[in-house]
Amino acid sequence: MRALDDVSLSVRPGEAFGIIGPNGAGKTTLLGCLLGLLRPDAGRIAVDGRPADDLAVRSVTGYLPERLVLDRWMPGLDFLAYHHALARLDPARRHDEAATALERVGLTQADGRQAIRRYSRGMLQRLGLAQALLGAPRYLFLDEPISGVDPAGVILFRKLLGEMRARGATLVINSHQLDQVERICDRVAFVRGGKVQSIETLEAGAAHARVLRVRWGANSDASALTPERLSTLGAGVGAALEELKPPEARFTVADDDGAAKLLATLLGAGVRVIEATPESGRLERLFVEPGKEKAGP
Amino acid sequence: MNPTLIVALLQQRARSLPRMALVFSFFTLPLMVLAFARGAGLAPLHVGQAFAVLLGTGIIGQDASSGTLQLLFARPVTRAEYVISRWLGAALAASCLMVAQLAIGAGLLAMHHEMPGAKELLLFAGEQLLTIFGMVSVLLLFSTMLPGIGDILALIVAGITGQALQLGAALFKAPWLARVGVELGRFVSPSLDLGALFGGGPVSWFEVVSYFSTVTLCVALAIVVMNRRELSYATE
């Protein structure tokens, strides 16, 4: 069985690059190859012109694996100090940098003194990110970085990754959390069956049709809320009414511009729109296999 | 050699309670024999091999099975560096235990006015040291190929096979089979008889070369196996 087949892609310096795809698509295998942990039977992987397993590359690489397996007897701070040493960072700053890394991910010094076996799933993930960020790496490879992290943690992770990008770091993120991928990444490779099916820039993604769920307040003009009227209003700006369940309706819009025009038209017609949310993210459509769009109940 | 990896190995071993309980037993029981029994000499202290087995079992297999290698090898650490650090770490720790035990044992013998000569002590320590490094190198090789503590099982199976072959050779009067059994035993338990080597008689270079080639081969093969290993998320 081929885990990856004819994969060809390049990630630009300073870019946040996402890898998405269904389970078993080969995303983690691809990440393993990019890190030099797995060796492809054919082809070449270069990071900054060097082989992926070159020590010079690894000394500027941070990695957060999907299944974070740690030496569970180690206290969190010792674990960070251990990875600080493995990364060959300045021993004189080891203790301070380990403590700072711990605090950056929202863990306390008391947490750091606890053995890792006592950590919750979210704490483990935070510790994993802290070790990946040690030494401000130039390349960050993150496999399901926010898996098991609470909403406050997700916001913190996004902030930290934003800071890394501001420093010029290149991010490669493998995740099923499409909304987060959309918010963090510049481009996304969609992998299915071991092949890169498409590489999407997220700006261009805005041109794809999607369903917009519109909700209105009680003080809306009742005459504008009939199915016929809403259909006509939508059709005038290229949107199609899919479903009406007062106080909300679902419209298919062609793109961002279509969504803006629809909202303006509805407001102009006396519909007091209080909420408008896309029913699915821009990337979800990639997961619908050709010919299976209508599948389901 | 990477001191960080050596320290991590020692901490990892020290955190294993059953392992430490066995090390403690093998450290104290022979000393108790020396304390209470007269005329035993250094014989009860022939436990270097036990220290090597206790500290060397699962030396790589346990890391491979737990999945920690993936994160480790994403760091600027070569696999050869890792293998050699694990080998040296376990062998040096076992050697320190052996030397400490020998020092206490020599003190106990001195109290009984049975203190061996300096040459005897040195030869004993040297032999134990070579046995420890040899045994850990064999475990190291098996551990790169087998998950968890499969290395100790492989060692036991190979040792029993060697003995069985020698028995079979005696039954079927097949000297070649006996030779195979002896060589297998020599491979899984490399050691050097320094007493014979420095006893004034002719030096058996075959023994010397056999020991060092076994150790070198085991460490080199362990590095080759690790270098060829691919690290996926699958636990083994």
Side-chain angles (χ1 to χ4, degrees), chain A residues 119-223:
Chain A
Y119 281 31
S120 67
R121 178 79 182 86
M123 287 168 78
L124 276 178
Q125 206 65 14
R126 284 170 188 251
L127 187 68
L129 182 66
Q131 71 78 29
L133 296 179
L134 282 171
R138 206 185 313 156
Y139 306 104
L140 257 179
F141 293 88
L142 309 169
D143 201 350
E144 296 293 353
I146 54 170
S147 162
V149 179
D150 60 22
V154 171
I155 294 167
L156 178 66
F157 271 43
R158 245 189 357 247
K159 177 176 164 270
L160 290 173
L161 296 184
E163 285 173 11
M164 292 305 293
R165 287 203 63 194
R167 288 183 183 190
T170 304
L171 273 55
V172 177
I173 302 172
N174 170 23
S175 180
H176 280 121
Q177 312 268 348
L178 300 184
D179 55 333
Q180 299 303 326
V181 172
E182 279 186 30
R183 294 176 79 160
I184 297 168
C185 296
D186 303 311
R187 287 191 305 149
V188 170
F190 179 69
V191 182
R192 193 202 299 268
K195 291 176 182 286
V196 174
Q197 303 260 319
S198 62
I199 294 178
E200 308 272 330
T201 64
L202 288 170
E203 275 306 304
H208 292 282
R210 60 186 176 277
V211 173
L212 195 68
R213 189 180 288 271
V214 179
R215 196 177 173 85
W216 52 84
N219 54 348
S220 299
D221 181 353
S223 66

Side-chain angles (χ1 to χ4, degrees), chain A residues 213-216 222 224-231 240-251 266 271:
Chain A
R213 189 180 288 271
V214 179
R215 196 177 173 85
W216 52 84
L225 297 174
T226 61
E228 298 74 23
R229 179 74 178 130
L230 285 174
S231 291
L241 176 68
E242 299 289 343
E243 190 183 16
L244 174 62
K245 272 189 183 172
E248 65 178 44
R250 295 167 65 240
F251 290 90
L266 291 175
V271 181

Side-chain angles (χ1 to χ4, degrees), chain A residues 4-18:
Chain A
L4 292 172
D5 188 15
D6 198 24
V7 171
S8 177
L9 54 87
S10 65
V11 180
R12 300 173 196 129
E15 182 177 35
F17 191 86

Side-chain angles (χ1 to χ4, degrees), chain B:
Chain B
M1 189 178 77
N2 186 322
T4 305
L5 292 173
I6 292 179
V7 171
L9 167 78
L10 298 181
Q11 287 178 329
Q12 185 191 52
R13 304 277 119 168
R15 295 283 172 158
S16 165
L17 213 59
R19 203 186 288 263
M20 283 303 102
L22 285 169
V23 166
F24 181 77
S25 304
F26 275 96
F27 190 86
T28 52
L29 290 178
L31 291 175
M32 286 167 75
V33 171
L34 283 189
F36 298 109
R38 298 279 174 118
L42 293 172
L45 302 181
H46 271 102
V47 289
Q49 207 168 33
F51 289 143
V53 168
L54 287 171
L55 294 173
T57 297
I59 192 165
I60 285 173
Q62 282 188 312
D63 274 3
S65 293
S66 71
T68 54
L69 289 182
Q70 224 185 23
L71 198 53
L72 174 70
F73 290 135
R75 294 289 178 199
V77 174
T78 64
R79 299 186 183 203
E81 192 181 344
Y82 168 75
V83 169
I84 289 172
S85 299
R86 300 290 282 188
W87 175 58
L88 282 178
L92 287 174
S95 300
C96 288
L97 284 170
M98 180 274 294
V99 169
Q101 190 187 47
L102 182 61
I104 299 169
L108 290 170
L109 288 172
M111 282 167 61
H112 295 157
H113 307 290
E114 294 172 1
M115 178 74 170
K119 185 183 175 186
E120 191 185 345
L121 274 176
L122 276 176
L123 288 178
F124 180 87
E127 263 181 35
Q128 290 287 296
L129 209 69
L130 291 170
T131 301
I132 286 169
F133 274 81
M135 181 59 74
V136 177
S137 67
V138 175
L139 283 167
L140 184 83
L141 173 61
F142 287 154
S143 201
T144 54
M145 298 185 279
L146 297 164
I149 54 169
D151 51 354
I152 188 66
L153 291 177
L155 195 75
I156 291 167
V157 169
I160 291 172
T161 307
Q163 295 290 324
L165 288 176
Q166 288 181 63
L167 274 174
L171 277 174
F172 299 110
K173 305 203 182 317
W176 64 270
L177 200 57
R179 185 71 187 175
V180 172
V182 167
E183 289 304 326
L184 188 58
R186 206 196 289 266
F187 177 78
V188 295
S189 179
S191 60
L192 256 183
D193 183 353
L194 293 183
L197 208 61
F198 295 105
V203 173
S204 169
W205 289 109
F206 172 75
E207 296 290 331
V208 176
V209 172
S210 171
Y211 172 84
F212 284 103
S213 61
T214 300
V215 173
T216 310
L217 184 71
C218 285
V219 176
L221 274 178
I223 292 171
V224 170
V225 173
M226 276 307 285
N227 273 331
R228 294 178 65 86
R229 189 179 204 132
E230 294 199 282
L231 298 167
S232 72
Y233 283 121
T235 50
E236 292 162 44

